[in-house]
C-alpha cells in the first residue's frame, strides 16, 4: 500500500518514507491510497485473539509492501508489553481503558509502535532522526517514554507553558538523555503551528526532522488496533458497536474511521469534545470555523484547529453529510465534566479522568436516544484516554477525594523539571534547533 498527501494525491510514498517525513512537502498529511476490504480478517478474530496478534495481523495487511510478517510481529511485540482493558459501566456502556502503558495514556499505543517501527527501519541504515512534536499534555509524555534512549533518535517536545497538568509536565521534562522539553510561551495551537512551519522551513531542510504527533502515519495506524481488539471482545454479545471518542486533535477518531472503512463493523462514532467544539458544529452545519482554543479541565482536548480534521475531510471527500453518516458530534461543558467524575466515583467507587468523563457523558446522551431492541443490542464503548492520576487536581476538585497514584506516576513527582523556555515563534524554534543539532 502507498500513502498520498492530502494536498497532492499524486504524491505517493511508502510507509517508511511517510513516517520519517511526518508531513508531505506540501504540508499535507498522509492517507492510505486504498481502502481494502479486511472484513474476512476481522471475522477470523475472536475474544481469544491476543492484542499483539490481532494488531500484527491487521498491521501486516496494511504494511506488507514495506515489512515482512515477521518484522511486523517483532515490532508489535516490542511496542505492546501492555494492552487495553474493558470495564462494564452499566446500561450497555463500556469503558475501554487505554492507560495501562508506561505514561498512563492512550498515546502510548501510537508512540510505542512508531518508536519500534523507526528503530526497526533504522537498523543497518546510516541515518538519524530528530523527533519534533507538539503536545497539549499526553502526547509529550508518551513520546518521551517511547523514544527514550532509542538509538540514532533525538526528541524535542514543545508544550504550552502553564497549560498542562503538573504531572504531565513532570513526565515530559524529567527524562533527560535524548529527550528535550521546550516550554513555549503560548497555547498548544502555537506549539502545533511552530512544528508544522518548522517542517516546511527551508532553513531547517538539512536537519532530519520528523514528527511523533498524530499527524505522523506511524502514530495513526496503531491507534486503530484497539478498536479491533475491543470489537473482538464484545461482538458475540452485541449486534451493534458504537464508539465514543474524546477528541482533541482527532487522530484517535480518524484511526477508528479508517478501521471501519477497511471493514471493521462499527455502527457509529461519537466525536466527543469539550468547549472546543468546532467539529461538532461542522457536523451540524457543514461550516468549519477553527479558532483559538479555549482552556478547559480536559486540557489535552483544548485544540481550536485539529490537525487530523484535514485527514477526516479528505476521507469523506469534504462532504459533511457523508461524514455525518458515520460520525455524530457531542460537546460537554466543564460543569458536566466535573459532575460526571463525581457521579462515576459515587456510583462505582472508581475514578475517571476529565477526558474520559467527556466521553462518558456523550455516551450516556447517545444511549438515551436509542430505544427498544436497538438499545438492547447496542454496546457503546467510551475510550478512556488517560489514568485519572494524571489529573489529580481536577479529580480531587470533583470528588473531594485524593487518589493513590500508580508507581510509574508517583516516582516522577519528586524528579527535577528540566525545560527550555522559548517564545511562541517559529524563529525561536528554528534558532534552538540549528544551535543544538547543526
Amino acid at each position: 500500500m502507498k500513502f498520498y498527501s492530502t494536498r497532492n494525491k499524486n504524491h505517493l510514498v511508502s510507509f517508511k518514507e511517510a513516517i520519517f517525513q511526518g508531513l508531505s512537502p506540501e504540508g499535507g498529511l498522509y492517507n492510505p491510497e486504498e481502502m481494502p476490504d479486511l472484513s474476512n480478517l476481522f471475522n477470523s478474530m475472536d475474544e481469544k485473539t491476543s492484542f499483539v496478534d490481532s494488531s500484527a495481523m491487521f498491521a501486516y495487511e496494511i504494511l506488507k509492501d514495506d515489512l515482512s510478517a515477521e518484522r511486523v510481529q517483532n515490532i508489535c511485540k516490542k511496542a505492546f508489553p501492555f494492552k487495553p482493558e474493558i470495564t462494564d459501566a452499566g446500561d450497555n456502556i463500556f469503558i475501554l481503558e487505554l492507560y495501562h502503558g508506561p505514561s498512563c495514556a492512550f498515546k502510548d499505543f501510537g508512540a510505542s509502535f512508531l518508536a519500534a517501527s523507526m528503530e526497526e527501519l533504522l537498523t543497518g541504515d546510516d541515518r538519524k532522526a530528530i523527533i519534533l512534536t507538539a503536545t497539549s499534555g499526553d502526547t509529550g509524555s508518551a513520546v518521551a517514554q517511547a523514544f527514550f534512549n532509542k538509538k540514532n533518535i533525538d526528541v524535542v517536545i514543545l508544550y504550552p507553558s502553564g497549560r498542562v497538568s503538573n504531572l504531565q509536565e513532570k513526565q515530559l521534562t524529567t527524562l533527560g538523555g535524548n529527550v528535550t522539553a521546550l516550554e513555549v510561551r503560548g497555547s498548544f495551537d502555537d506549539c502545533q503551528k511552530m512544528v508544522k512551519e518548522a517542517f516546511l522551513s527551508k532553513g531547517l531542510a538539512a536537519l532530519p526532522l520528523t514528527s511523533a504527533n498524530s499527524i505522523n502515519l506511524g502514530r495513526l495506524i496503531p491507534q486503530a488496533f484497539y478498536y479491533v481488539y475491543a470489537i473482538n471482545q464484545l461482538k458475540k454479545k452485541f449486534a451493534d458497536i458504537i464508539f465514543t471518542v474524546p477528541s482533541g486533535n482527532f487522530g484517535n477518531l480518524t484511526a477508528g474511521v479508517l478501521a471501519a472503512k477497511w471493514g471493521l463493523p462499527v455502527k457509529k462514532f461519537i466525536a466527543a469534545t469539550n468547549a472546543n467544539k468546532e467539529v461538532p458544529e461542522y457536523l451540524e452545519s457543514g461550516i468549519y470555523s477553527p479558532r483559538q482554543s479555549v482552556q478547559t479541565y480536559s486540557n489535552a482536548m483544548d485544540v481550536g484547529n485539529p490537525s487530523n480534521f484535514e485527514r477526516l475531510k479528505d476521507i469523506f471527500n469534504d462532504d459533511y453529510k457523508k461524514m455525518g453518516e458515520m460520525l455524530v458530534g457531542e460537546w460537554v461543558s466543564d460543569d458536566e465534566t466535573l459532575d460526571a467524575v463525581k457521579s462515576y466515583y459515587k456510583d462505582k467507587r472508581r475514578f475517571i479522568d476529565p477526558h474520559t468523563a467527556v466521553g462518558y457523558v456523550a455516551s450516556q446522551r447517545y444511549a438515551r436516544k436509542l430505544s427498544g431492541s436497538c438499545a438492547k443490542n447496542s454496546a457503546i464503548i467510551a475510550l478512556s484516554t488517560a489514568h485519572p492520576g494524571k489529573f489529580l487536581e481536577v479529580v480531587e476538585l470533583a470528588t473531594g477525594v485524593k487518589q493513590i497514584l500508580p508507581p510509574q506516576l508517583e516516582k516522577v513527582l519528586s524528579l527535577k523539571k528540566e525545560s527550555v523556555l522559548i517564545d511562541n515563534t517559529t524563529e525561536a524554534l528554528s534558532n534552538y534547533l540549528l544551535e543544538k543539532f547543526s
Side-chain angles (χ1 to χ4, degrees), residues 148-159:
F148 181 59
N149 280 344
K150 286 287 188 289
K151 294 178 181 178
N152 300 318
I153 299 175
D154 284 293
V155 182
V156 178
I157 301 168
L158 284 73
Y159 73 97

Side-chain angles (χ1 to χ4, degrees), residues 245-303:
V245 189
S247 300
N249 230 359
F250 278 79
N252 214 359
L253 182 60
T254 303
V257 167
L258 283 176
K261 288 283 188 178
W262 290 328
L264 191 69
V266 181
K267 179 74 173 178
K268 189 77 74 173
F269 291 96
I270 304 168
T273 74
N274 54 30
N276 296 279
K277 53 185 177 177
E278 299 81 14
V279 174
E281 288 175 348
Y282 170 83
L283 291 168
E284 285 287 330
S285 67
I287 299 171
Y288 181 55
S289 302
R291 46 196 181 263
Q292 189 67 27
S293 60
V294 178
Q295 194 167 359
T296 73
Y297 287 129
S298 48
N299 68 280
M301 294 156 56
D302 292 350
V303 185

Side-chain angles (χ1 to χ4, degrees), residues 181-236:
L182 299 184
E183 185 176 354
V184 177
R185 297 184 180 96
S187 67
F188 169 71
D189 292 311
D190 294 328
C191 298
Q192 187 164 255
K193 181 172 181 285
M194 292 162 68
V195 167
K196 282 186 173 181
E197 290 178 352
F199 283 119
L200 301 176
S201 169
K202 292 181 180 179
L204 298 175
L207 298 181
L209 298 179
T210 189
S211 175
N213 277 87
S214 56
I215 58 175
N216 192 305
L217 191 75
R219 271 271 314 275
L220 186 78
I221 289 175
Q223 288 179 305
F225 298 166
Y226 39 75
Y227 290 95
V228 177
Y229 181 78
I231 283 186
N232 286 343
Q233 303 306 304
L234 295 178
K235 65 184 180 183
K236 287 185 179 179

Side-chain angles (χ1 to χ4, degrees), residues 31 50 95 151 161 176 180 212 241 257 278 288 361:
N31 261 342
S50 72
I95 304 296
K151 294 178 181 178
S161 181
T180 301
I241 306 290
V257 167
E278 299 81 14
Y288 181 55
V361 171

